Coordinates of all heavy atoms in Angstrom, one line a residue:
G214 N 18.7 6.7 15.7 CA 19.5 5.5 16.0 C 19.6 5.3 17.5 O 20.3 6.0 18.2
R215 N 18.8 4.4 18.0 CA 18.7 4.0 19.4 C 18.8 2.5 19.5 O 17.7 1.9 19.8 CB 17.5 4.6 20.1 CG 17.3 6.1 20.1 CD 16.1 6.6 20.8 NE 14.9 6.1 20.2 CZ 14.2 6.6 19.1 NH1 14.8 7.7 18.5 NH2 13.1 6.1 18.7
P216 N 19.9 1.9 19.3 CA 20.1 0.5 19.3 C 19.5 -0.2 20.6 O 18.9 -1.3 20.5 CB 21.6 0.2 19.2 CG 22.1 1.5 18.6 CD 21.2 2.6 19.1
Q217 N 19.7 0.5 21.7 CA 19.2 -0.1 23.0 C 17.7 -0.1 23.0 O 17.1 -0.9 23.8 CB 19.7 0.8 24.2 CG 19.1 2.2 24.3 CD 19.9 3.2 23.3 OE1 20.7 2.8 22.5 NE2 19.5 4.5 23.5
D218 N 17.0 0.6 22.1 CA 15.5 0.6 22.0 C 15.0 -0.2 20.8 O 13.8 -0.1 20.5 CB 15.0 2.0 22.0 CG 15.3 2.8 23.3 OD1 15.4 2.2 24.3 OD2 15.4 4.1 23.2
G219 N 16.0 -0.8 20.1 CA 15.6 -1.6 19.0 C 15.4 -0.9 17.7 O 14.8 -1.4 16.7
V220 N 15.9 0.4 17.6 CA 15.9 1.2 16.4 C 17.3 1.4 16.0 O 18.1 2.1 16.7 CB 15.2 2.5 16.5 CG1 15.1 3.3 15.2 CG2 13.7 2.3 17.0
H221 N 17.7 0.8 14.8 CA 19.0 0.9 14.3 C 19.0 1.7 13.0 O 18.1 1.6 12.2 CB 19.6 -0.5 14.0 CG 19.5 -1.5 15.1 ND1 20.5 -1.6 16.0 CD2 18.5 -2.3 15.6 CE1 20.2 -2.5 17.0 NE2 18.9 -2.9 16.7
T222 N 20.0 2.6 12.9 CA 20.1 3.4 11.7 C 21.5 3.4 11.1 O 22.5 3.3 11.9 CB 19.8 4.9 12.0 OG1 20.7 5.4 13.0 CG2 18.4 5.1 12.5
I223 N 21.6 3.4 9.8 CA 22.9 3.3 9.1 C 22.7 4.1 7.8 O 21.7 4.1 7.2 CB 23.3 1.9 8.8 CG1 24.8 1.8 8.3 CG2 22.3 1.1 7.9 CD1 25.4 0.4 8.4
Q224 N 23.7 4.9 7.5 CA 23.6 5.8 6.3 C 24.6 5.2 5.2 O 25.7 4.8 5.5 CB 24.0 7.2 6.6 CG 24.0 8.1 5.4 CD 24.3 9.6 5.7 OE1 23.5 10.2 6.4 NE2 25.4 10.1 5.2
M225 N 24.1 5.2 4.0 CA 25.0 4.9 2.8 C 25.1 6.1 1.9 O 24.1 6.5 1.3 CB 24.4 3.7 2.1 CG 25.3 3.3 0.8 SD 26.9 2.7 1.2 CE 26.6 1.0 1.8
E226 N 26.2 6.7 1.8 CA 26.5 7.8 0.9 C 27.3 7.3 -0.3 O 28.4 6.8 -0.1 CB 27.3 8.9 1.6 CG 27.5 10.1 0.8 CD 26.4 11.1 0.8 OE1 26.0 11.7 1.9 OE2 25.8 11.3 -0.3
L227 N 26.7 7.3 -1.5 CA 27.3 6.7 -2.7 C 27.9 7.9 -3.5 O 27.3 8.9 -3.7 CB 26.3 6.0 -3.5 CG 25.5 4.9 -2.9 CD1 24.3 4.5 -3.7 CD2 26.5 3.7 -2.7
A228 N 29.1 7.6 -4.0 CA 29.7 8.6 -5.0 C 28.9 8.4 -6.3 O 28.7 7.3 -6.7 CB 31.2 8.3 -5.2
Q229 N 28.5 9.5 -6.8 CA 27.6 9.4 -8.0 C 28.3 8.8 -9.2 O 27.6 8.3 -10.1 CB 26.9 10.7 -8.3 CG 25.9 11.1 -7.2 CD 25.3 12.5 -7.4 OE1 25.8 13.3 -8.2 NE2 24.2 12.7 -6.7
R230 N 29.6 8.8 -9.3 CA 30.3 8.2 -10.4 C 30.0 6.7 -10.5 O 30.2 6.1 -11.6 CB 31.8 8.4 -10.3 CG 32.4 7.7 -9.2 CD 34.0 7.7 -9.2 NE 34.5 7.0 -8.1 CZ 34.8 7.6 -6.9 NH1 34.5 8.8 -6.7 NH2 35.3 6.9 -5.9
T231 N 29.5 6.1 -9.4 CA 29.3 4.7 -9.4 C 28.0 4.3 -10.2 O 27.8 3.1 -10.5 CB 29.1 4.1 -8.0 OG1 28.1 4.8 -7.3 CG2 30.4 4.3 -7.2
Y232 N 27.1 5.3 -10.5 CA 25.9 4.9 -11.3 C 25.4 5.9 -12.2 O 24.4 5.7 -12.9 CB 24.8 4.5 -10.3 CG 24.2 5.6 -9.5 CD1 23.0 6.2 -9.9 CD2 24.8 6.1 -8.3 CE1 22.5 7.3 -9.2 CE2 24.3 7.1 -7.6 CZ 23.1 7.7 -8.0 OH 22.6 8.8 -7.3
L233 N 26.1 7.1 -12.4 CA 25.7 8.1 -13.3 C 26.6 8.1 -14.5 O 27.8 7.7 -14.4 CB 25.7 9.5 -12.7 CG 24.7 9.7 -11.6 CD1 24.8 11.2 -11.1 CD2 23.2 9.4 -12.0
E234 N 26.1 8.4 -15.7 CA 27.0 8.6 -16.9 C 28.1 9.6 -16.6 O 29.2 9.4 -16.9 CB 26.2 9.0 -18.1 CG 25.3 7.9 -18.7 CD 24.5 8.3 -19.8 OE1 24.7 9.5 -20.3 OE2 23.6 7.5 -20.3
T235 N 27.6 10.7 -16.0 CA 28.6 11.8 -15.7 C 28.0 12.6 -14.5 O 26.8 12.6 -14.3 CB 28.9 12.7 -16.9 OG1 29.6 13.9 -16.4 CG2 27.6 13.2 -17.5
E236 N 28.8 13.2 -13.7 CA 28.4 13.9 -12.5 C 28.1 15.4 -12.9 O 28.4 16.3 -12.1 CB 29.4 13.8 -11.4 CG 29.6 12.4 -10.9 CD 30.5 12.3 -9.8 OE1 31.4 13.1 -9.6 OE2 30.4 11.3 -9.0
L237 N 27.6 15.6 -14.1 CA 27.2 16.9 -14.6 C 25.8 16.8 -15.1 O 25.3 15.8 -15.5 CB 28.2 17.3 -15.7 CG 29.6 17.5 -15.3 CD1 30.5 17.6 -16.6 CD2 29.8 18.8 -14.5
P238 N 25.1 18.0 -15.2 CA 23.8 17.9 -15.9 C 23.9 17.3 -17.3 O 24.8 17.6 -18.0 CB 23.4 19.4 -16.0 CG 24.2 20.1 -14.9 CD 25.5 19.3 -14.8
P239 N 22.9 16.5 -17.7 CA 21.6 16.2 -17.0 C 21.6 15.0 -16.0 O 20.6 14.5 -15.7 CB 20.7 15.9 -18.2 CG 21.6 15.2 -19.2 CD 22.9 15.9 -19.0
F240 N 22.8 14.6 -15.5 CA 22.9 13.6 -14.5 C 22.2 12.3 -14.9 O 21.4 11.7 -14.2 CB 22.4 14.1 -13.2 CG 23.1 15.3 -12.6 CD1 22.5 16.5 -12.7 CD2 24.3 15.2 -12.1 CE1 23.1 17.7 -12.2 CE2 25.0 16.3 -11.6 CZ 24.3 17.6 -11.7
N241 N 22.5 11.8 -16.1 CA 21.8 10.6 -16.6 C 22.2 9.3 -15.9 O 23.4 9.2 -15.5 CB 22.1 10.4 -18.1 CG 21.3 11.4 -18.9 OD1 20.3 11.9 -18.5 ND2 21.9 11.8 -20.1
Y242 N 21.3 8.5 -15.7 CA 21.5 7.1 -15.0 C 22.3 6.3 -16.0 O 21.9 6.2 -17.2 CB 20.1 6.6 -14.7 CG 20.1 5.3 -13.9 CD1 20.1 5.4 -12.5 CD2 19.9 4.1 -14.5 CE1 20.0 4.2 -11.7 CE2 19.8 2.9 -13.7 CZ 19.8 3.0 -12.4 OH 19.7 1.9 -11.6

Side-chain angles (χ1 to χ4, degrees):
R215 298 183 299 277
Q217 66 279 8
D218 297 330
V220 180
H221 305 269
T222 58
I223 189 165
Q224 178 177 297
M225 178 65 79
E226 183 82 67
L227 301 166
Q229 289 178 344
R230 67 171 179 273
T231 57
Y232 71 96
L233 296 183
E234 286 178 7
T235 171
E236 297 182 335
L237 297 166
F240 302 103
N241 288 332
Y242 189 83

